[in-house]
Amino acid sequence: MTVIVSVKINDGIVMASDSASTFQSGQTYLHADKIVNLVKGLPIGVMITGNGGIGAESIATLLKDLRARLDGSDPHPWKLDRPNYTMQHVAERVREFLFEEKTVPADLETWMRLRICGYSAGRPLPEIWEVLIRGKECDSPKLVQAEQGFGV
C-alpha cells in the first residue's frame, strides 16, 4: 500500500511518499520514484499512489514522456506557455495523457491517484489538484486545495 502526504504551508507544499511500487503483474520495486518534478524549472510536482505503471510502462517513465511534451522537447503541441499556464491546465494534461492516451486505448483497468502540486504562472500561492483513475473511469481533475487553503 502506498502512502502519499502533502502539507500546504505558507511557503509552499511539503510532499512525501514511500518508495515501494507494485505493477498490475504483481512485480514490486522497492525504490520507485513516486514524487517527480513534472516540468524542469517550474514549481510543479506530482505524487503517485496505486498502480506503479500503465501496462508495461512505469509511472516514472510515463511522467518523463509527459514532461517532454510540456517542456517542448517532444514535437507534440503541448508545450506549456510558461508565463500563463495554470495548475488546472497541467492537471487536465496529466489526466488526458495517462487516462485518455495510455489507459483507454490499451483497454486496461488502471488504478491510481495522482496529486499535482504547484504554482500557476505568476501566482503567489500554490494549489493542489488530483486525478483519480478508477479502472476504466476518470473524472475531470479535482481541486483539493485552492491557493488560500492550508494544511494536510
Side-chain angles (χ1 to χ4, degrees):
M1 179 168 129
T2 295
V3 175
I4 60 172
V5 177
S6 61
V7 181
K8 193 161 172 268
I9 58 176
N10 289 338
D11 293 335
I13 300 172
V14 178
M15 300 167 67
S17 172
D18 67 327
S19 62
S21 187
T22 304
F23 287 84
Q24 289 175 325
S25 66
Q27 184 176 11
T28 300
Y29 289 98
L30 298 179
H31 303 287
D33 294 326
K34 294 197 287 188
I35 300 176
V36 300
N37 173 247
L38 192 56
V39 182
K40 297 286 185 191
L42 292 179
I44 303 172
V46 177
M47 298 189 300
I48 305 98
T49 182
N51 293 135
I54 298 174
E57 296 180 274
S58 74
I59 191 63
T61 298
L62 290 164
L63 290 175
K64 286 177 187 175
D65 292 345
L66 178 56
R67 176 187 295 146
R69 286 187 184 187
L70 296 175
D71 71 15
S73 59
D74 179 285
H76 201 279
W78 278 12
K79 182 176 179 179
L80 284 182
D81 179 8
R82 286 180 178 250
N84 298 304
Y85 74 90
T86 65
M87 287 302 298
Q88 179 177 357
H89 177 74
V90 172
E92 289 167 352
R93 289 297 196 203
V94 168
R95 181 196 178 279
E96 185 176 350
F97 181 72
L98 295 175
F99 182 68
E100 294 177 20
E101 287 192 30
K102 297 296 181 177
T103 300
V104 172
D107 196 32
L108 297 170
E109 289 208 14
T110 301
W111 299 86
M112 64 177 56
R113 178 183 308 267
L114 298 109
R115 187 167 293 166
I116 304 106
C117 305
Y119 292 79
S120 294
R123 299 302 304 158
L125 298 170
E127 301 170 32
I128 299 176
W129 289 79
E130 280 191 355
V131 172
L132 178 59
I133 302 174
R134 303 173 318 277
K136 294 184 179 185
E137 296 180 18
C138 184
D139 295 332
S140 296
K142 176 184 172 190
L143 179 62
V144 175
Q145 279 184 316
E147 285 186 74
Q148 300 305 319
F150 293 94
V152 178

